[in-house]
Amino acid sequence: MSSQSTEPTYVRLHNLLGAIRELSPFQDLTADEEQLLGQLVVRWHASKRITVAELMQDTSRVSASTIYRRLIGLRDKGLVDLPVDMNDKRSHFVVPTPSAKRYIKHLDQCVLKLSIPKSS
Amino acid sequence: MKLPTPLVPAVTVVSVAVVWVLVFNLNSFLFAEMALSDQASWIFLPAAFRLLLVLLFRQWGAVGLMFGAFLTLPNGTQDNLVQEVLLAASSGVAPLLAVAFASRYMQLKTDLQGLRGGQILVMSVLCAGVNSVLVSSSLLLYGEPSQFLVYVTTIFVGDVLGAAIVLSVIVIAISVLGRARGLHTGH
């Protein structure tokens, strides 16, 4: 480690905290993953069966590989499962896990609380 | 208020020394019964701060650690001054060597970009290993040779356990703060 470098301490602190955060068994969702989860919640409501391929076709804003990477992030964090379509082994469905269902329920309760006017 | 550039290292050294003295005394208070001697304890929380402060403040962090460690020693007679300087120096040298190793063999960058959690664990264990050998060697020079292995083992275990406890506390604090901010997934 050179002593000639001039990186500010806050840059090192930020990187150090990021590395320590990796040691946590509790993982944060990134903003992108949270946005994808939000899109999935809407799609799960509209249609029972979503495939990975269908999801990756929606490349109006981001590339298919980016969507796939975020989807794998959600899977690794236990929010979606990707079971194989038994009629077509090449295809995978995107389904919510119990954690995702709890998240949806929590969101629903938050919206309900907002919509109910407080009694004065 | 922005400090003049020449003052920054001095302020860093003094701040790191103060942090070291505070954490050292906290450890002595919490784990007095786990201490083998003034220099060796089966749980030594400040060990984690050695590595973290050197990663953050580099050579000035190491100087602050040496200064702080010197202040926590008994500072008794003139006779044991050399031993106490050696003991204090090991607090700064051990993390510097661990970080130098990581820079050489784990591509650690100066701004810590790309630093991984696993690398912190490897450096913590390295730091504990180097520190336990350095401290025990300086005690060997001036003390009882038969106690060398006992000291190496105690200091190594104490440093590793201390680092593990402090890192766990930081991880939990980050998780709790993150949970207050938004969604977490625990599994």
Side-chain angles (χ1 to χ4, degrees):
Chain A
M1 184 179 272
S2 163
S3 59
Q4 304 301 315
S5 59
T6 54
E7 299 84 11
T9 306
Y10 69 82
V11 173
R12 290 198 295 276
L13 177 65
H14 177 80
N15 289 327
L16 183 60
L17 287 176
I20 293 174
R21 194 177 288 122
E22 272 185 21
L23 298 170
S24 172
F26 303 101
Q27 296 180 33
D28 278 318
L29 278 186
T30 65
D32 293 331
E33 287 166 350
E34 199 164 351
Q35 188 185 30
L36 177 60
L37 184 60
Q39 289 173 12
L40 283 170
V41 168
V42 174
R43 285 180 180 229
W44 282 324
H45 177 72
S47 163
K48 290 287 178 197
R49 303 180 89 71
I50 306 164
T51 65
V52 173
E54 284 167 1
L55 195 65
M56 288 171 63
Q57 279 166 11
D58 180 18
T59 56
S60 54
R61 282 182 292 179
V62 287
S63 68
S65 60
T66 302
I67 291 177
Y68 185 72
R69 197 181 64 242
R70 290 172 189 170
L71 188 62
I72 294 302
L74 288 177
R75 185 199 63 183
D76 291 346
K77 289 168 185 174
L79 287 161
V80 298
D81 270 336
L82 305 174
V84 177
D85 181 352
M86 298 313 286
N87 297 321
D88 179 1
K89 296 282 174 66
R90 295 166 303 173
S91 181
H92 288 258
F93 291 116
V94 184
V95 298
T97 62
S99 289
K101 286 175 183 167
R102 278 199 302 276
Y103 171 65
I104 295 165
K105 196 176 171 186
H106 177 70
L107 271 184
D108 195 33
Q109 285 169 347
C110 288
V111 173
L112 273 176
K113 272 186 192 171
L114 278 176
S115 61
I116 298 170
K118 285 180 186 169
S119 56
S120 53
Chain B
M1 190 181 81
K2 195 174 179 184
L3 285 171
T5 310
L7 270 184
V8 173
V11 171
T12 303
V13 167
V14 172
S15 305
V16 168
V18 168
V19 167
W20 178 266
V21 171
L22 289 175
V23 181
F24 184 90
N25 285 318
L26 176 70
N27 191 81
S28 301
F29 174 72
L30 291 176
F31 303 111
E33 290 182 8
M34 309 289 282
L36 185 69
S37 73
D38 287 342
Q39 288 80 36
S41 175
W42 287 103
I43 296 180
F44 192 63
L45 301 180
F49 291 86
R50 280 196 193 109
L51 182 67
L52 299 180
L53 291 169
V54 167
L55 283 172
L56 271 183
F57 303 112
R58 294 174 298 183
Q59 73 272 30
W60 299 117
V63 174
L65 287 170
M66 292 180 202
F67 185 41
F70 187 76
L71 293 177
T72 55
L73 288 168
N75 302 129
T77 62
Q78 198 77 8
D79 296 339
N80 57 12
L81 184 66
V82 177
Q83 185 192 13
E84 293 197 337
V85 169
L86 286 173
L87 286 171
S90 70
S91 267
V93 171
L96 272 183
L97 286 177
V99 171
F101 177 88
S103 302
R104 176 79 174 81
Y105 296 105
M106 299 193 293
Q107 286 77 47
L108 179 68
K109 295 180 181 170
T110 53
D111 63 358
L112 307 182
Q113 175 86 44
L115 176 67
R116 309 304 306 264
Q119 291 176 321
I120 294 178
L121 297 181
V122 170
M123 282 189 281
S124 297
V125 173
L126 265 175
C127 189
V130 174
N131 182 59
S132 62
V133 171
L134 286 177
V135 171
S136 303
S137 301
S138 61
L139 291 171
L140 180 69
L141 287 174
Y142 295 88
E144 296 172 46
S146 61
Q147 295 290 301
F148 180 77
L149 277 179
V150 175
Y151 269 94
V152 168
T153 309
T154 310
I155 295 169
F156 179 75
V157 172
D159 282 9
V160 170
L161 281 179
I165 290 170
V166 171
L167 287 174
S168 302
V169 168
I170 297 173
V171 162
I172 290 167
I174 290 173
S175 295
V176 169
L177 288 174
R179 199 174 280 268
R181 259 190 306 122
L183 178 68
H184 262 268
T185 60
H187 62 127

